[in-house]
Amino acid sequence: MTDAVGSIDMPDAEDETPESKKKPRKGGKRGKKGPLGRLALFYRQIVAELRKVVWPTRSQLTTYTSVVIVFVVVMIGLVTVIDFGFARAVKYVFG
């Protein structure tokens, strides 16, 4: 499979720079902190991501909830009808 640049499986030779051949850094920001520091960083990142979320308005939330409830009730009715149908068919076949 290829993209606009070239093969995904075979990276282009010019993508590799002399900087990328250096030894990988150990730790970075996470390596210098203990478990509590990493946990605090994790929660800060969670809060940052939640601030990016576009939350629905009350009107949208009411509409979405109503649609889900109606869909679930319709599916319950459909499964109930099919179940009664199979029960009658089994009772008819096996007496």
Side-chain angles (χ1 to χ4, degrees), residues 55-95:
W55 297 98
T57 63
R58 184 175 296 272
S59 165
Q60 291 172 328
L61 192 61
T62 304
T63 302
Y64 299 156
T65 303
S66 301
V67 166
V68 168
I69 289 173
V70 167
F71 176 77
V72 168
V73 168
V74 167
M75 292 307 295
I76 288 172
L78 181 66
V79 169
T80 302
V81 167
I82 291 172
D83 184 47
F84 281 131
F86 281 137
R88 284 199 163 185
V90 166
K91 196 176 245 185
Y92 177 76
V93 169
F94 295 110

Side-chain angles (χ1 to χ4, degrees), residues 16-29:
E16 294 182 18
T17 60
E19 297 168 0
S20 67
K21 293 188 179 194
K22 291 182 182 177
K23 291 190 296 184
R25 288 179 29 191
K26 289 189 178 179
K29 288 183 180 179

